Amino acid sequence: MGQEEEEESHVEYAVLDKAGRMQIPAEMLQSIGMRDTNKIKVQLEEGRIVLLPPDPKGGKSI
C-alpha cells in the first residue's frame, strides 16, 4: 500500500458536545487558511456541512 493510499484511508472524527459544538483539529483549519480569526463560514451543500475561511477583509458572501 503506497503513502497516497494510506492517507486516503484515514478518517478523522470529531465529537459534538451537548450544545452541538465541535473542535476542528488545528492542522485542518490551517490547511484552509484559518489564521488570526475565530470565525469560519458554514454552508450546507448537498447534505454536507462545509466549513470555509471567512471572506477576506470583510468581503460579503452571497
Side-chain angles (χ1 to χ4, degrees):
M1 190 188 283
Q3 183 178 355
E4 188 174 312
E5 290 176 287
E6 288 178 23
E7 289 177 14
E8 289 180 18
S9 67
H10 177 76
V11 176
E12 187 80 39
Y13 288 97
V15 177
L16 297 175
D17 68 12
K18 290 181 181 180
R21 296 175 295 226
M22 98 177 135
Q23 185 170 352
I24 308 297
E27 312 81 57
M28 287 187 175
L29 293 173
Q30 290 170 358
S31 76
I32 64 167
M34 291 296 302
R35 290 177 181 77
D36 305 321
T37 184
N38 65 348
K39 295 185 180 185
I40 191 164
K41 188 189 291 186
V42 181
Q43 295 179 333
L44 187 59
E45 295 180 5
E46 298 180 15
R48 295 176 184 225
I49 298 169
V50 179
L51 306 176
L52 301 164
D55 293 326
K57 302 295 179 191
K60 296 187 179 178
S61 59
I62 298 174

